[in-house]
């Protein structure tokens, strides 16, 4: 006898159904692992929605390269390339300049794993990823 549940639930295969047994789900999604993209989203969410400078998201080795934005309002990740321990992203940022005029620009955002073990444990650095460098797309 084949259970009706097995026929209507794509997560349960027919091989799992046996007479007088309850089918069990397969292919349960694994818990999401932090990714380089997570730190980019967290950084831009913080600066656009919470008014933060975002400095806490930068890698400790990049302290000389920290960039901040004046009055950022919204962002969109346009593209990404993930590699080894990091990735690069192109992010479109809507902001205002000091005079209040709207500015929309695309930025290259480079992400890496934090080298400092202590800094990598910070809860706002998902998976130990951090912002390594941000430069305007030219």
């Amino acid at each position: 006898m084949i259970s009706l549940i097995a026929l209507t639930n794509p997560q349960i295969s027919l091989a799992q159904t046996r007479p007088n047994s309850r089918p069990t789900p397969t292919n349960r999604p694994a818990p999401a692992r932090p990714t380089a993209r997570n730190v980019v989203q967290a950084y831009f969410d913080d600066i656009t929605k919470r008014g933060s400078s975002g400095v806490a998201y930068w890698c400790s080795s990049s302290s000389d390269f920290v960039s901040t934005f004046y009055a950022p309002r919204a962002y969109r990740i346009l593209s990404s390339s993930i590699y080894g321990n990091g990735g690069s992203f192109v992010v479109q940022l809507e902001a205002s300049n000091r005079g209040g005029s709207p500015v929309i620009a695309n930025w290259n955002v480079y992400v890496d794993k934090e080298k400092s073990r202590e800094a990598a444990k910070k809860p706002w650095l998902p998976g130990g990823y951090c912002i390594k460098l941000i430069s305007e797309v030219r």
Side-chain angles (χ1 to χ4, degrees):
M1 176 173 150
I2 296 176
S3 167
L4 181 58
I5 293 172
L7 296 176
T8 59
N9 188 340
Q11 292 184 339
I12 299 173
S13 70
L14 290 177
Q16 292 176 301
T17 60
R18 291 176 288 178
N20 301 324
S21 70
R22 291 178 38 184
T24 57
T26 59
N27 298 327
R28 288 186 184 168
R33 289 186 307 175
T35 65
R37 185 181 187 95
N38 293 135
V39 78
V40 172
Q41 290 171 322
Y43 170 76
F44 281 99
D45 281 347
D46 231 25
I47 67 170
T48 59
K49 298 175 182 171
R50 295 176 194 86
S52 166
S53 69
V55 172
Y57 291 92
W58 284 75
C59 299
S60 57
S61 61
S62 297
S63 60
D64 293 339
F65 304 106
V66 173
S67 301
T68 57
F69 297 98
Y70 189 79
R73 289 190 302 274
Y75 75 95
R76 204 166 49 123
I77 298 175
L78 302 177
S79 65
S80 63
S81 177
I82 305 300
Y83 51 84
N85 284 334
S88 63
F89 300 82
V90 175
V91 177
Q92 184 177 72
L93 183 67
E94 295 177 33
S96 297
N97 63 18
R98 292 189 193 276
S101 299
V103 176
I104 298 175
N106 294 340
W107 299 88
N108 291 310
V109 180
Y110 300 94
V111 175
D112 203 358
K113 282 281 199 172
E114 175 58 73
K115 303 292 186 250
S116 161
R117 287 185 183 190
E118 195 60 35
K121 293 178 185 176
K122 294 177 181 173
W124 55 85
L125 295 181
Y129 289 101
C130 55
I131 305 290
K132 184 174 186 172
L133 182 68
I134 297 179
S135 63
E136 189 170 6
V137 174
R138 302 259 175 199

